[in-house]
């Protein structure tokens, strides 16, 4: 008899991570491919990245006498969970026998971070979004409108603000900042004109978001401009938490958590965030598990009596 596995997939804007877990033994196997946010990035590339990870999973299962019984995908481009998305259809082409769920990436982040308990999470990676799960099981969202009219406090927003600060430093409209020298070295530009060509001609949304780490480094060196950029980002993220806390019913104060690359800055983003959260800051906790764990948890819940033959 084949070994039954469940799978969780975290399909983010920067990368896609999949985790296979054997139902009986808990044996795990991890897979990584490129990002798959078809709403803001190239849809052809997003589909290719998901196809790549599906092929790797199928090949590994065939080589290890396993079959996929249940799979849950949390996707940054899953706007409507009640409609069958292209991602779900693509997975079904590879694994027609499996139970398949497609949910928003914030849902799996929330379930992973709080181990399935009610609470609120803010996800701030390339983009940003927040979710609350209340005691009645109602899921609410705040933000998540993408780079054109949303993504406040995200890596992309921080990177964009860093580029703006450097531009204003270069032409004398803004104050001097460590970011100018740091980005000159990272992006290899020599003039204002070459910076324009570099950003508009070569840089993707993900590459701009990756500049957030340089803001974090400069903030640790007490660069005033970098500190203000992160303070503004933290204020925007705090608004997401506070709005969802006010919208939902809680018999006891719920835990708050976070996920995404922006929070890898640690205290540089968490300290101002706690300031803007006020009394709610004492409810802020590090995530217990990763988003892909949350997807695995949902896949297990949907497993039911499905077994491999």
């Amino acid at each position: 008899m084949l070994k039954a596995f469940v799978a969780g997939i975290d399909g983010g804007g920067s990368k896609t991570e999949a985790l296979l877990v054997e139902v009986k033994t808990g044996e795990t196997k991890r897979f990584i491919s490129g990002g798959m946010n078809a709403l803001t990035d190239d849809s052809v590339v997003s589909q290719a990245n998901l196809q790549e990870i599906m092929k790797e999973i199928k090949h590994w299962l065939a080589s290890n006498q396993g079959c996929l019984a249940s799979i849950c995908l949390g996707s940054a481009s899953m706007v409507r969970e009640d409609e069958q998305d292209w991602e779900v259809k693509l997975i079904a082409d590879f694994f027609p026998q499996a139970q398949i769920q497609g949910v928003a990436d914030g849902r799996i982040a929330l379930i992973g971070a709080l181990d399935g308990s009610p609470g609120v999470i803010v996800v701030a990676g390339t983009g940003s979004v927040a979710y609350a799960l209340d005691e009645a099981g109602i899921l609410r969202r705040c933000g998540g409108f993408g780079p054109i009219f949303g993504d406040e406090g995200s890596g992309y927003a921080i990177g964009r603000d860093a580029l703006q600060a450097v531009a204003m430093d270069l032409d004398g409209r803004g104050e001097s900042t460590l970011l100018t020298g740091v980005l000159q070295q990272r992006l290899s530009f020599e003039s204002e004109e070459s910076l324009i060509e570099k950003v508009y001609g070569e840089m993707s949304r993900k590459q701009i978001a990756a500049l957030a780490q340089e803001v974090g480094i400069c903030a640790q060196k007490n660069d005033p401009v970098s500190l203000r950029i992160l303070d503004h980002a933290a204020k925007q993220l705090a608004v997401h938490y506070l709005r969802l806390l006010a919208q939902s019913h809680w018999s006891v104060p719920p835990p708050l958590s976070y996920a995404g690359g922006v929070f890898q800055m640690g205290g540089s983003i968490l300290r101002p965030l706690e300031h803007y959260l006020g009394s709610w800051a004492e409810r802020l906790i590090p995530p217990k598990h990763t988003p892909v764990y949350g997807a695995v948890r949902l896949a297990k819940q949907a497993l039911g009596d499905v077994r491999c033959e």
Side-chain angles (χ1 to χ4, degrees), residues 291-305:
V292 76
Y293 170 90
V296 167
R297 184 182 176 113
L298 287 175
K300 287 181 177 179
Q301 289 175 358
L303 185 60
D305 295 327

Side-chain angles (χ1 to χ4, degrees), residues 9 16 18 31-36 44-60 86 90 94-95:
I9 301 180
T16 299
F31 303 85
I32 301 290
S33 73
M36 48 174 288
V44 174
V45 172
S46 297
Q47 291 180 38
N49 288 335
L50 182 57
Q51 285 177 331
E52 176 189 342
I53 214 163
M54 288 297 100
K55 289 177 183 177
E56 290 180 3
I57 291 172
K58 190 167 186 176
H59 176 75
W60 189 91
W86 67 267
L90 189 152
F94 282 89
F95 301 104

Side-chain angles (χ1 to χ4, degrees), residues 191-233:
S191 65
E192 298 169 28
E193 292 77 14
S194 60
L195 174 60
I196 294 170
E197 292 170 348
K198 171 74 69 171
V199 173
Y200 290 104
E202 301 178 22
M203 294 186 71
S204 67
R205 174 172 165 262
K206 296 172 190 175
Q207 289 172 317
I208 292 173
L211 300 179
Q213 63 183 318
E214 305 293 359
V215 180
I217 292 170
C218 290
Q220 290 177 346
K221 297 177 181 179
N222 292 317
D223 175 56
V225 172
S226 298
L227 288 168
R228 283 200 298 272
I229 290 173
L230 294 187
D231 184 83
H232 176 70

Side-chain angles (χ1 to χ4, degrees), residues 217-274:
I217 292 170
C218 290
Q220 290 177 346
K221 297 177 181 179
N222 292 317
D223 175 56
V225 172
S226 298
L227 288 168
R228 283 200 298 272
I229 290 173
L230 294 187
D231 184 83
H232 176 70
K235 185 176 183 179
Q236 295 299 313
L237 296 177
V239 170
H240 287 69
Y241 283 108
L242 296 174
R243 182 58 184 159
L244 287 173
L245 286 165
Q247 284 181 324
S248 306
H249 172 72
W250 314 99
S251 61
V252 295
L256 317 180
S257 195
Y258 48 84
V262 166
F263 293 102
Q264 292 178 6
M265 296 182 196
S268 295
I269 192 71
L270 291 173
R271 280 191 296 271
L273 175 62
E274 289 171 348

Side-chain angles (χ1 to χ4, degrees), residues 53-242:
I53 214 163
M54 288 297 100
K55 289 177 183 177
E56 290 180 3
I57 291 172
K58 190 167 186 176
H59 176 75
W60 189 91
L61 287 170
S63 302
N64 290 271
Q65 294 162 340
C67 83
L68 190 62
S70 180
I71 183 169
C72 176
L73 164 72
S75 170
S77 61
M78 189 78 66
V79 177
R80 298 180 183 274
E81 294 184 347
D82 57 346
E83 295 181 3
Q84 191 176 40
D85 196 82
W86 67 267
E87 296 133 315
V88 172
K89 296 175 182 177
L90 189 152
I91 293 171
D93 289 340
F94 282 89
F95 301 104
Q97 83 290 345
Q99 293 282 344
I100 304 171
Q101 296 180 77
V103 301
D105 60 343
R107 183 186 285 271
I108 63 170
L110 177 59
I111 291 172
L114 300 179
D115 209 10
S117 298
V120 184
I121 191 169
V122 163
V123 183
T126 302
S128 67
V129 68
Y131 282 86
L133 181 67
D134 68 16
E135 295 154 347
I138 297 173
L139 187 74
R140 293 180 173 86
R141 188 186 80 178
C142 182
F145 291 99
I148 296 177
F149 59 106
D151 283 352
E152 300 87 354
S154 67
Y156 176 77
I158 293 169
R160 181 191 58 214
D161 287 351
L163 288 168
Q164 184 180 57
V166 168
M168 294 179 72
D169 180 13
L170 287 173
D171 68 9
R173 288 177 295 144
E175 66 184 276
S176 178
T177 171
L178 291 177
L179 287 168
T180 301
V182 169
L183 293 196
Q184 278 180 325
Q185 183 173 5
R186 174 159 178 160
L187 302 180
S188 300
F189 69 89
E190 298 177 353
S191 65
E192 298 169 28
E193 292 77 14
S194 60
L195 174 60
I196 294 170
E197 292 170 348
K198 171 74 69 171
V199 173
Y200 290 104
E202 301 178 22
M203 294 186 71
S204 67
R205 174 172 165 262
K206 296 172 190 175
Q207 289 172 317
I208 292 173
L211 300 179
Q213 63 183 318
E214 305 293 359
V215 180
I217 292 170
C218 290
Q220 290 177 346
K221 297 177 181 179
N222 292 317
D223 175 56
V225 172
S226 298
L227 288 168
R228 283 200 298 272
I229 290 173
L230 294 187
D231 184 83
H232 176 70
K235 185 176 183 179
Q236 295 299 313
L237 296 177
V239 170
H240 287 69
Y241 283 108
L242 296 174

